[in-house]
């Protein structure tokens, strides 16, 4: 471990990535609103970095799906939320 590196931060991101996938899978094929996903990931607390963090979680979760060979993607439905889409 490098000095100053917060190991728990990586675990927290991984947990939120799994949670976001769970929420999207449970709602499939519906769109999950930004607000519902935010509430699922952070509860009532509203971190200042929320949009950036949600975007990073989406990118990392999408990458994890691709690496696992799952034929689906997470898309941002502009102004609404996120949706899990199965690829042909």
């Amino acid at each position: 471990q490098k000095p100053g590196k917060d190991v728990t931060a990586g675990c927290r991101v991984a947990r939120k990535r799994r949670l976001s996938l769970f929420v999207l899978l449970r709602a499939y094929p519906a769109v999950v609103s930004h607000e519902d996903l935010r509430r699922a990931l952070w509860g009532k607390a509203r971190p200042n970095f929320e949009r950036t963090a949600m975007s990073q979680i989406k990118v990392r979760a999408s990458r994890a799906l691709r690496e696992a060979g799952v034929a689906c993607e997470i898309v941002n439905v502009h102004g609404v939320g996120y949706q899990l889409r199965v690829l042909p």
Side-chain angles (χ1 to χ4, degrees), residues 19-77:
L19 182 56
S20 67
L21 285 171
F22 172 77
V23 170
L24 290 166
L25 281 167
R26 189 177 65 191
Y28 179 81
V31 175
V32 177
S33 73
H34 290 114
E35 183 63 21
D36 287 346
L37 189 55
R38 181 201 59 78
R39 215 176 289 122
L41 296 174
W42 289 286
K44 292 183 180 184
R46 261 197 115 109
N48 294 333
F49 59 89
E50 172 188 316
R51 285 186 186 253
T52 303
M54 281 180 62
S55 178
Q56 290 174 352
I57 289 168
K58 175 204 165 278
V59 168
R60 290 177 180 158
S62 293
R63 184 182 309 136
L65 290 170
R66 274 194 315 275
E67 289 173 357
V70 178
C72 63
E73 64 183 350
I74 300 169
V75 294
N76 184 2
V77 180

